[in-house]
Amino acid sequence: MGSKEKKGSNKGVSSIMVRMAAVSMIVLIIVFGIASLLIARVKTETDSQVTMHNAGTVISGIVSDYMSGKISDVTVLASDNEVIDYALSIGDYETGEEALSAEGTQAVQEKLNRLVISSADIISAWVISEETGVLVADNMRSIDGAAVNLS
């Protein structure tokens, strides 16, 4: 009987060892799977952020290249003494019609018209008073300060 009991207990121990090994493997597979999913998620988020940053940089460069020529044209106009004096003087008027009668209107209108004609990308050029909101645009157009409503 001794040898049969020994074989039975060996089978019991073997069976327990196999079960423990199987459970350990299952736990390892689950842990590995969860870790892999977390790493993949972090990697995906990082890749998405890098891709979005790169796309933003490219778009920013395109817009900057496009706008730099327009900005230089506007900067030249904005630093012109006649335009500055005119912009300050239209602050004394409440309506666009009054502002169109201000001294220097003709010279500034020529500059605004030239700017619009010089580029197909510029559809309108204007001077606006911060004080009254009166807006004077190219082609002798104007808008009253109340309609502009800068506040």
Side-chain angles (χ1 to χ4, degrees):
M1 263 215 210
S3 107
K4 282 189 177 183
E5 281 180 20
K6 208 173 190 182
K7 278 187 179 180
S9 76
N10 281 343
K11 283 186 182 180
V13 171
S14 289
S15 153
I16 291 173
M17 294 288 281
V18 168
R19 283 187 202 139
M20 288 183 74
V23 169
S24 296
M25 291 295 279
I26 291 171
V27 168
L28 282 175
I29 289 171
I30 290 171
V31 169
F32 179 75
I34 291 171
S36 296
L37 288 174
L38 291 174
I39 291 170
R41 183 175 180 194
V42 168
K43 176 77 171 135
T44 301
E45 287 178 11
T46 303
D47 287 349
S48 295
Q49 289 173 350
V50 168
T51 301
M52 287 173 34
H53 174 72
N54 291 343
T57 301
V58 169
I59 291 169
S60 171
I62 291 169
V63 170
S64 178
D65 290 346
Y66 175 77
M67 292 300 291
S68 64
K70 309 323 176 239
I71 291 170
S72 67
D73 291 342
V74 172
T75 302
V76 167
L77 190 64
S79 62
D80 184 287
N81 286 333
E82 281 183 306
V83 174
I84 293 169
D85 292 342
Y86 183 74
L88 294 172
S89 75
I90 65 171
D92 297 335
Y93 302 103
E94 292 296 321
T95 68
E97 288 301 317
E98 292 173 351
L100 288 174
S101 67
E103 185 179 330
T105 298
Q106 198 58 39
V108 170
Q109 281 293 311
E110 288 174 13
K111 291 175 187 201
L112 294 175
N113 289 335
R114 236 181 286 129
L115 180 62
V116 172
I117 291 169
S118 70
S119 174
D121 295 322
I122 300 175
I123 59 171
S124 181
W126 36 270
V127 176
I128 191 166
S129 166
E130 287 185 68
E131 296 158 15
T132 60
V134 171
L135 182 141
V136 175
D138 57 302
N139 292 323
M140 295 298 284
R141 296 176 293 159
S142 65
I143 300 175
D144 295 346
V148 173
N149 192 11
L150 288 177
S151 56

